[in-house]
Amino acid sequence: MTSPSLTGDPIGLIGPLTHANKAAGATSSQAEANWNHIAGELARIRELRDDWDGQGATAPLAENVEAAVKWMQDMRGYPQAIPPSQVVPGVTGEVVLIWQKEAFFLEAEICKPTQVEWMLAVPDQSNKHWVTNGSVSYFVGSLRRS
């Protein structure tokens, strides 16, 4: 699965994670700031209780939040990983990671720790939906080889 990014580089789900696809190099300070922001949002989401939206939403399930935290911690070790633009709670206990760029919109919904439901929207194309095993780590990254 690939699509263009803002810079024209193809992006994709890369995984399962191995030492072989862990690129050498430091993470940029902007990427590090983005990862820190996502970590803070996950900490905030962890504290939500039932009816957090005032309309009866179920609190995010602890195991879904922990799966998202584990995923984020794994990804931070890969400099080519693209941090999500945002992370939001769903209304039925799920956690949703979102990558939103000019050329694509990608969502990873953790409804249960053993499964991630993905949705990719690219202008002028049909939306794509697929499921990955939640116990296998993937990351969203650039497919361009340096």
Side-chain angles (χ1 to χ4, degrees), residues 17 19 28 37 41 57 64 74 81 85 90 93 95 100 102 109 115 137 141:
L17 297 182
H19 182 69
S28 76
H37 174 74
E41 287 300 300
N64 292 340
D74 288 347
S85 306
V95 175
Q100 186 168 6
E102 186 176 306
E109 184 175 311
Q115 182 175 303
S137 292

Side-chain angles (χ1 to χ4, degrees), residues 13-28:
L13 280 185
I14 302 168
L17 297 182
T18 65
H19 182 69
N21 60 24
K22 190 170 192 174
T27 302
S28 76

Side-chain angles (χ1 to χ4, degrees), residues 26-38 76 83:
T27 302
S28 76
S29 59
Q30 182 58 53
E32 192 61 30
N34 292 345
W35 286 117
N36 289 339
H37 174 74
I38 295 301
R76 286 183 90 150

